[in-house]
Amino acid sequence: SGLKFQLSISEFLCNVKVYKPIDPRDIRIILFEAECRILAELDSQLGDYATRQMERMGIEIRVSSQVTRLWEGHVEVDGNVIIPTKTVIWGAGMVANPLIAEIEAGKDDFGRVLVNEYMEVPGFRGVYALGDCAHFKDPKSGMAVPPRAYVAFRQARVVARNLLSAIRGSDPRAFHYSGIPEIVSLGSSRAVLCLHRVRLYGFPARLVWLILYSSLVTGIYNRVRVLTDWLLSLLFGRDITYLRLGK
């Protein structure tokens, strides 16, 4: 999340025409990463490519660094480095919705509800959880499946079918996790993708990302809008609205 924020801010400030009075040389964007490299969960080659792209965009990357304290106008890193700043964006960590904490069911360390192979909450017949709120263990790896939109999309289909099965009195269907491609968007025209042994970089990976993303959007009209908006943004830049707010 932090990486996406950094890329979006860099592109927006440096490319949007309304910010012409701002000299890009006066903008300093720093990405702090606690791991030894960014995108540590991905293939090292993909992470290296992402690092090079971000550095070309003028983003400073500091790995093995943690923000230890912040206050107005400053941020402290690793307990001994103080950097003046006006904007701090925190994009690390993920926990389940606080409402889930009220449910008397088994949960993991992130507050996600434990579910069985049918996405049903054990001990609560007819109650299902999915997406970011659910901890579904992959039988192959023994680890929880990643909280991705594509996973939640597939889980929703299984839950809907199981709800109908409960009404009709038929057998429920188990959710099978077959793995998903690891894709990271790097701005408006680049991305990195890893699917098994296949690796894609740059614009081709971005096209695959767009196709997969649009497949999750409901309705042909909305899918066409997503594709059209993306193509138009490549030709004419971002579509923005500038409001002159007086005192």
Side-chain angles (χ1 to χ4, degrees):
S1 298
L3 182 146
K4 293 180 181 179
F5 277 128
Q6 302 280 357
L7 288 166
S8 298
I9 291 174
S10 177
E11 278 195 327
F12 193 75
L13 294 179
C14 296
N15 298 329
V16 175
K17 296 180 180 179
V18 75
Y19 290 109
K20 278 186 177 180
I22 300 178
D23 189 342
R25 291 173 296 182
D26 295 333
I27 301 173
R28 186 185 184 190
I29 302 176
I30 308 175
L31 172 63
F32 297 104
E33 172 58 57
E35 299 287 344
C36 60
R37 63 184 180 89
I38 64 172
L39 301 176
E41 69 278 8
L42 294 184
D43 181 88
S44 60
Q45 295 182 14
L46 300 181
D48 293 341
Y49 177 85
T51 299
R52 292 194 299 271
Q53 292 301 317
M54 295 183 70
E55 290 175 344
R56 289 174 183 173
M57 296 176 69
I59 300 175
E60 298 179 35
I61 301 176
R62 299 192 180 188
V63 296
S64 302
S65 300
Q66 296 185 16
V67 175
T68 51
R69 189 164 61 103
L70 61 89
W71 61 98
E72 185 176 357
H74 297 83
V75 61
E76 180 188 82
V77 182
D78 295 332
N80 55 14
V81 179
I82 297 178
I83 299 175
T85 181
K86 291 294 184 180
T87 303
V88 177
I89 299 176
W90 185 266
M94 190 281 295
V95 294
N97 191 295
L99 292 176
I100 303 300
E102 301 177 6
I103 301 177
E104 297 294 334
K107 306 180 188 70
D108 63 8
D109 295 337
F110 297 99
R112 297 175 296 186
V113 177
L114 304 179
V115 296
N116 59 20
E117 66 270 28
Y118 306 111
M119 304 305 301
E120 189 175 31
V121 181
F124 295 85
R125 186 174 180 81
V127 177
Y128 299 86
L130 57 91
D132 293 350
C133 296
H135 176 109
F136 180 87
K137 184 181 294 185
D138 181 12
K140 296 181 180 179
S141 65
M143 305 292 292
V145 299
R148 302 283 192 271
Y150 181 69
V151 175
F153 182 81
R154 294 177 56 202
Q155 290 176 343
R157 286 185 170 181
V158 171
V159 170
R161 289 170 179 164
N162 288 343
L163 286 171
L164 290 175
S165 297
I167 295 173
R168 297 168 179 170
S170 57
D171 295 332
R173 176 178 296 185
F175 172 71
H176 298 287
Y177 176 73
S178 57
I180 58 174
E182 290 289 346
I183 306 178
V184 178
S185 175
L186 300 174
S188 59
S189 61
R190 292 182 178 86
V192 292
L193 177 148
C194 179
L195 178 59
H196 302 302
R197 296 184 179 180
V198 178
R199 299 182 183 88
L200 290 178
Y201 308 85
F203 191 74
R206 178 66 176 183
L207 286 177
V208 175
W209 178 92
L210 185 65
I211 293 172
L212 293 177
Y213 176 81
S214 61
S215 68
L216 301 179
V217 179
T218 58
I220 296 178
Y221 171 79
N222 293 324
R223 292 174 184 172
V224 173
R225 281 293 303 271
V226 169
L227 293 171
T228 303
D229 289 345
W230 180 72
L231 291 173
L232 290 176
S233 67
L234 286 180
L235 295 175
F236 304 105
R238 292 177 179 268
D239 183 18
I240 65 169
T241 300
Y242 180 43
L243 301 177
R244 292 183 178 273
L245 301 178
K247 293 183 179 180

